[in-house]
Amino acid sequence: MSDFNVGFVIFPGMTQLDFTGPFEVLSRLGTPPSLSAPSPFPDAKTHVIAKTRLPVMSDRGLGILPSCTFQDCPPLNLICLPGGAGVVDALADDETIDFIRREGERADYVTSVCVGAFLLGAAGLLRGRRATTHWAYVDLLPRVGARHEKARVVRDGNVFTSGGVTSGIDFAFAIVAELAGAEVAKAIQLAIEYDPAPPFDAGHPDKASEAAIALMMSRNETARANLRQALDNRSAPTSG
C-alpha cells in the first residue's frame, strides 16, 4: 500500500483546536512508533504544512512547528484547513490559496473546520457545493459559491466541511470510519475518551440563551466584518 498523506495547512492566527482536534484523531490512523500493535491503515502519514518551517503562532499565542512547506510536502490524499482570525490574512495570500487549490483539486478528501471553509471557497473548491462553517458565519458561504446546509458536519462528494472548532473532531471520525471501518473509529474515540458531557447545553444557537448568543455575536462583530471584507477583496476584479 502506498502512503496515505494527510495534510493540515496552518497559518498565523489559526485556531489551534481547529487543527489539533482532527489531527489527534487522524494521526492515529497509522501506528505510532512507540506501539507494536499493527494498524489497519499503517501507511497513513500526517503532515503539518506552512509557508516556511518557522513556528506558526495560533490566535491564542500557541506556537506550532510545521513538518513541511508548500514546496516540499508530498501530494496529499487529504487536505484540511482550520479556521481562526488568521483566515483574513490567508485569504489575501496568493501563495496560500494557490497551494490549497492545487492540492485540493487532486486530493481524495478536501476538508475544513470552522471558517477554514472560506479558504477552500477562495480556492474554488466549494463552488456549487453544500457546506457548513461556524454558525455565526454561515450567511457568508454564498460569497464563495457554496450553499449552507445546517449540520455539524456536511459532506458533498469528497468535500467535508464542519462547524465551529470542536466539530473538526467529528468530521475526523467520519473520515476514519470510511477509511478503516467504524470499529477502528470507535476504538480511537475510546482511546481519546471522547465522551462529551459539558456543564452547559449551550454549544449551538438552537440551545443557547439569547444573552449568550448576543454576547458571542458582539464579541465577533469585528471578526465578521473583517472576513466579509477579505472575501469581497478576494472576489473583486483586479485593475490593469
Side-chain angles (χ1 to χ4, degrees), residues 5-23 26 46-51 56 64 70 73 76-107 109-126 131-134 141 152 158-169 171-172 175 227:
N5 290 303
V6 176
F8 292 87
V9 181
I10 64 173
F11 46 87
M14 68 173 178
T15 296
Q16 64 85 14
L17 189 54
D18 287 8
F19 155 58
T20 55
F23 179 93
L26 292 169
T46 310
H47 308 274
V48 181
I49 310 158
K51 289 182 70 172
V56 174
I64 298 171
F70 295 166
C73 85
L76 299 177
N77 299 91
L78 184 152
I79 185 171
C80 182
L81 274 301
V87 164
V88 168
D89 288 335
L91 282 168
D93 188 88
D94 289 340
E95 186 178 355
T96 297
I97 299 302
D98 288 346
F99 175 82
I100 295 168
R101 180 183 299 111
R102 181 173 68 251
E103 291 300 325
E105 287 177 347
R106 64 187 180 188
Y109 297 94
V110 176
T111 73
S112 66
V113 184
C114 199
V115 294
F118 295 102
L119 294 174
L120 295 184
L125 300 171
L126 293 186
T132 193
T133 185
H134 190 288
L141 284 171
R152 189 163 167 85
N158 71 329
V159 177
F160 287 71
T161 52
S162 53
V165 192
T166 60
S167 61
I169 298 172
F171 104 72
I175 294 285
L227 180 56

